[in-house]
């Protein structure tokens, strides 16, 4: 039970306004060490999510929407991006460091965990490269809106009971007070009191006085006075205060949808895959860990969602619990870095250079830089079901299912051109020979000018499903694995080939067209269509510099474009119910399993 009490104050009882700052957003000048505690309950499945009624009382209306983002600018000019995620159930608790989550799982009944209502705010610092991303996790319950944990900073916090930010009866004149532990094992104590006043337009000013105390002596270690303006659906829109005697203030605005944060130095060149040492490749187990400055190290507890990408520097970005997590891979360890919340269910995940791209069920295409800071977000008329294609001049080309085709600046998110094809499309555009080529669900192959989106030609191929461009041709694969190679000048067929089974992937590399389907893989000469070689590989096709990787359910083949087998690596079968994602890396491949295990295959 919370130690916080809430009462409605008479107007004459309202205290004078204070000028404070949220304790969670700033690091305390205080440190403590404590032993790592095993958290067995982290095995609670994220599938236990259950819908629940709205929690938090009147405070719930002030929580930002899932996937929204704000720009905070401090009084010293430094900037940070605050991104918001909403969820019901324990998934976001499972993403915490074990030490931060331990008390929550210990103190909360299982039935309550399954319907717990959470809001997560992730903070990416733009002007201080030494500052790691900070994550604040809030709960909406009978007490209102309360802070559970703050992780990622030099010092971590885990509040018990949770620190009330807005009481359930959030309206002018309401006051509250509370106390509890601010760190696990009672290493730090807190007391808090607050009052709400009217800020106009449905907004409230929360004036709070929070003290951090030595639990043994009662000595005050830090005083945090804050005056935060909360507005419905937006969260905090103005924050001023005093932390340890230092005055701080923040101006807060919605993050612009385009502009790219003014970045001019981000890597946008697609990754190169140097697999020249593939004859020495061997598998190594990959362990996924969470390392937090305040809470130590713990294994990852949340399964992967089946979407992942590799940036040009070899970093891994994966979908976890409907959100994004980055990992730095060194040896056999993948250490989690930044977190991001695009909002809604994730549909595709890809990377171009150091830019991570994700499409969502909210009809958005969202880009992040190497720090996990949101670069831009653009909305389509319908969902984008396939990853964007790389285009010249640091651009990409994306198409939504309703046929809206756009060329977009990769760094800024600005639209170069947009055209409506007025047909259903669910495959990645092919970009090459000055064209953007799409295949619609009816088998029509449609070519538009890459320069301005104007119509160039269209041809119908029965069963056509996807296309790629390269070496002066357009190659198309059908749903039944048939292959057509087209002249980019007019869309006429140069040659075609019949295949059995269902088509899954097609590529053009080093003079050959390679097509993979559920009945195996075949390669043809790009110029005359002569079949050069075949392989039983039937799962996935990856293309590197002068090498091809063909994936089966149990192994990986590395071949030269002429079909010579360079290396075969046994992976073994995946466990029942476990899905695999195979990704290219600059010097090998990476296998990501949904059960939070993985394999690095390299020399």
């Amino acid at each position: 039970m919370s130690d916080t009490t809430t009462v409605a104050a008479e107007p004459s009882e309202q205290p004078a306004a204070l000028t404070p700052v949220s304790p969670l957003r700033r690091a305390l000048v205080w440190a403590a060490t404590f032993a790592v505690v095993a958290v067995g309950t982290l095995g609670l499945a994220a599938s236990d999510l259950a819908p629940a009624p709205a929690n938090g009382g009147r405070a719930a209306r002030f929580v930002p929407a899932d996937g929204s983002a704000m720009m905070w600018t401090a009084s010293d000019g430094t900037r940070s991006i605050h991104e918001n995620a909403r969820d019901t159930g324990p998934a976001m608790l499972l993403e915490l460091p074990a030490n931060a989550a331990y008390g929550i799982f210990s103190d909360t009944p299982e039935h309550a965990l399954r319907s717990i209502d959470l809001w997560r705010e992730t903070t990416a610092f733009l002007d201080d490269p030494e500052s790691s991303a900070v994550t604040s996790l809030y709960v909406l319950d009978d007490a209102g809106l309360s802070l559970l944990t703050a992780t990622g900073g030099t010092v971590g916090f885990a509040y018990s009971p949770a620190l009330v930010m807005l009481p359930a009866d959030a309206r002018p004149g309401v006051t509250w007070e509370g106390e509890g532990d601010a760190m696990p094992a009672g290493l730090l104590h807190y007391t808090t009191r607050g009052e709400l006043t009217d800020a106009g337009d449905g907004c409230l000013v929360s004036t709070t006085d929070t003290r951090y105390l030595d639990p043994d002596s009662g000595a005050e270690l830090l005083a945090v006075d804050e005056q935060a303006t909360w507005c419905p659906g937006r969260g905090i829109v103005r924050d001023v205060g005093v932390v340890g005697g230092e005055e701080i203030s923040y101006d807060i605005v919605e993050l612009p949808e385009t502009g790219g944060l003014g970045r001019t130095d981000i890597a946008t060149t697609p990754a190169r895959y140097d697999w020249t040492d593939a004859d020495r490749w061997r598998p190594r187990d990959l362990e996924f860990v969470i390392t937090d400055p305040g809470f130590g190290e713990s294994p990852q507890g949340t399964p992967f969602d089946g979407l992942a990408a590799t940036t040009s520097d070899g970093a891994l970005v994966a979908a976890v619990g409907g959100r994004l997590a980055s990992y730095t891979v060194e040896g056999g360890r993948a250490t989690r870095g930044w977190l991001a919340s695009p909002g809604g269910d994730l549909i595709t995940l890809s990377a171009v250079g150091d830019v991570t791209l994700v499409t969502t069920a909210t009809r958005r295409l969202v880009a992040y830089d190497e720090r996990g800071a949101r670069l831009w977000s653009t909305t389509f008329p319908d969902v984008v079901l396939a990853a964007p294609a790389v285009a010249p001049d640091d651009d990409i080309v994306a198409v939504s299912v309703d046929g809206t085709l756009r060329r977009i600046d990769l760094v800024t998110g600005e639209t170069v051109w947009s055209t409506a094809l007025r047909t259903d499309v669910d495959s990645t555009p092919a970009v090459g020979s000055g064209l953007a080529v799409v295949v619609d669900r009816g088998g029509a192959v449609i070519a538009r000018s890459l320069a301005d989106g104007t119509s160039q030609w269209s041809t119908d191929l029965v069963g056509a499903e996807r296309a790629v461009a390269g070496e002066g041709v357009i190659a198309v694969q059908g749903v039944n694995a048939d292959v057509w190679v087209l002249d980019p000048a007019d869309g006429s067929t140069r040659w075609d080939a019949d295949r059995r089974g269902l088509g899954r992937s097609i590529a053009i590399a080093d003079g050959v067209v390679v097509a993979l389907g559920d009945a195996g893989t075949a390669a043809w000469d790009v110029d005359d269509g002569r079949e050069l070689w075949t392989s039983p590989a039937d799962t996935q096709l990856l293309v590197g510099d002068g090498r091809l990787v063909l994936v089966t359910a149990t192994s990986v083949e590395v071949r030269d474009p002429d079909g010579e087998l360079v290396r075969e690596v046994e992976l073994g079968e995946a466990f029942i119910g476990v899905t695999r994602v195979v990704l290219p890396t600059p010097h090998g491949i990476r296998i990501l399993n949904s059960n939070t295990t993985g394999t690095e295959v390299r020399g």
Side-chain angles (χ1 to χ4, degrees):
M1 179 178 295
S2 171
D3 291 336
T4 300
T5 58
T6 304
V7 297
E10 296 295 328
S12 60
E13 297 176 330
Q14 296 179 4
L18 303 175
T19 51
V21 198
S22 169
L24 290 170
R25 296 183 181 81
R26 270 55 87 196
L28 284 171
V29 187
W30 198 90
T33 57
F34 47 89
V36 174
V37 183
V39 183
T41 47
L42 284 182
L44 183 61
S47 60
D48 286 336
L49 300 181
N55 297 310
R58 295 173 61 91
R61 63 196 293 261
F62 295 93
V63 177
D66 181 50
S68 61
M70 307 292 282
M71 173 76 82
W72 290 50
T73 303
S75 50
D76 63 1
T78 56
R79 303 165 301 155
S80 58
I81 294 176
H82 294 236
E83 200 173 44
N84 304 291
R86 297 290 305 276
D87 205 355
T88 300
M92 287 198 286
L93 298 177
L94 294 168
E95 295 171 30
L96 290 171
N99 269 354
Y102 175 76
I104 302 170
F105 279 95
S106 299
D107 298 340
T108 310
E110 184 175 335
H111 73 274
L113 286 172
R114 294 186 180 190
S115 59
I116 193 169
D117 195 348
L118 299 171
W119 161 37
R120 187 180 76 183
E121 181 186 47
T122 53
T123 304
F125 298 97
L126 302 183
D127 303 309
D128 185 0
E130 300 303 318
S131 293
S132 58
V134 172
T135 300
S136 302
L137 186 64
Y138 302 84
V139 62
L140 287 157
D141 58 14
D142 292 343
L145 172 64
S146 307
L147 181 63
L148 279 172
T149 62
T151 58
T154 305
V155 178
F157 300 92
Y159 293 89
S160 179
L163 177 65
V164 173
M165 310 299 290
L166 290 175
D169 188 19
R171 56 188 176 86
V174 169
T175 64
W176 71 96
E177 59 183 26
E179 63 177 5
D181 292 328
M183 283 186 171
L187 292 174
L188 184 66
H189 192 71
Y190 79 86
T191 64
T192 188
R193 58 187 177 89
E195 179 192 23
L196 296 178
T197 54
D198 188 3
D201 297 324
C203 301
L204 295 173
V205 174
S206 169
T207 301
T208 55
D209 177 3
T210 304
R211 309 283 164 152
Y212 292 87
L213 311 172
D214 184 297
D216 296 324
S217 67
E220 182 179 297
L221 301 172
L222 188 75
V224 179
D225 297 317
E226 179 178 22
Q227 194 173 66
T229 302
W230 294 76
C231 288
R234 298 174 61 195
I236 297 177
V237 299
R238 172 71 176 159
D239 201 9
V240 297
V242 179
V243 177
E246 180 184 357
E247 293 186 5
I248 306 176
S249 65
Y250 292 86
D251 290 320
I252 304 163
V253 297
E254 291 186 15
L255 183 69
E257 289 195 349
T258 59
L261 307 176
R263 293 281 309 261
T264 58
D265 58 342
I266 190 168
T268 56
T269 302
R272 301 291 298 270
Y273 306 124
D274 180 6
W275 296 338
T276 53
D277 65 346
D279 58 334
R280 299 192 299 274
W281 281 8
R282 60 186 180 87
R284 301 174 177 86
D285 289 340
L286 190 59
E287 175 190 20
F288 292 88
V289 298
I290 300 170
T291 299
D292 186 90
F295 290 104
E297 183 178 297
S298 56
Q300 177 160 317
T302 309
F304 295 114
D305 291 347
L307 299 174
T310 305
T311 61
S312 60
D313 63 358
L316 169 67
V317 182
V320 180
R323 292 163 290 275
L324 297 180
S326 71
Y327 299 83
T328 300
V329 180
E330 293 184 6
R333 287 169 57 91
T335 303
R336 196 178 74 182
W338 55 261
L339 301 172
S341 306
D345 293 331
L346 309 187
I347 298 176
T348 71
L349 175 57
S350 58
V352 180
D354 283 341
V355 179
T356 297
L357 299 167
V358 60
T359 67
T360 77
T362 59
R363 299 179 288 110
R364 292 196 298 174
L365 170 60
V366 188
Y368 294 89
D369 69 12
E370 75 282 4
R371 304 164 297 183
R374 185 183 293 191
L375 283 171
W376 51 265
S377 172
T378 187
T379 301
F380 279 75
D382 211 328
V383 293
V384 177
L385 296 179
V390 177
D393 302 322
D394 295 335
D395 290 345
I396 56 174
V397 177
V399 61
S400 56
V401 72
D402 70 323
T404 299
L405 181 67
R406 290 180 185 167
R407 180 170 178 171
I408 299 169
D409 187 299
L410 177 62
V411 176
T412 67
E414 300 285 351
T415 297
V416 179
W417 53 257
S418 180
T419 185
L421 303 179
R422 295 181 175 85
T423 187
D424 293 345
V425 182
D426 59 9
S427 60
T428 296
V431 174
S433 299
L435 300 174
V437 180
V438 299
V439 181
D440 74 7
R441 285 175 167 175
V445 183
I446 304 166
R448 293 298 179 112
S449 166
L450 190 57
D452 57 15
T454 55
S455 179
Q456 301 299 298
W457 51 260
S458 177
T459 186
D460 290 325
L461 300 174
V462 177
E465 189 172 32
R466 62 183 60 86
V468 292
E471 305 202 10
V473 300
I474 308 296
V476 180
Q477 184 182 42
V479 65
N480 60 354
D482 290 342
V483 172
W484 300 264
V485 169
L486 310 181
D487 189 326
D490 56 11
S492 60
T493 301
R494 289 186 176 179
W495 58 263
D496 59 57
D498 295 332
R499 291 286 294 168
R500 295 182 297 107
L502 298 176
R504 289 179 171 168
S505 182
I506 189 168
I508 303 173
D510 298 293
V512 298
V513 176
V514 185
L516 179 145
D518 66 352
T521 302
W524 301 266
D525 184 282
V526 70
D527 294 322
D528 57 23
R530 288 181 298 111
E531 185 173 291
L532 302 176
W533 52 267
T534 61
S535 163
D538 58 2
T539 302
Q540 194 170 346
L541 168 64
L542 304 174
V543 179
D545 291 343
R547 292 281 163 82
L548 303 169
V549 168
L550 308 176
V551 184
T552 73
T554 60
S555 66
V556 170
E557 295 179 4
V558 185
R559 292 182 181 268
D560 287 333
D562 62 8
E564 180 182 352
L565 182 63
V566 176
R567 183 73 166 173
E568 186 170 10
V569 179
E570 291 295 328
L571 301 177
E573 292 190 12
F575 293 112
I576 295 175
V578 174
T579 58
R580 275 180 176 163
V581 177
V582 182
L583 302 168
T585 70
H587 301 290
I589 62 170
R590 182 173 294 144
I591 295 97
L592 191 66
N593 301 313
S594 60
N595 63 352
T596 70
T597 63
T599 305
E600 285 277 295
V601 180
R602 58 179 296 171

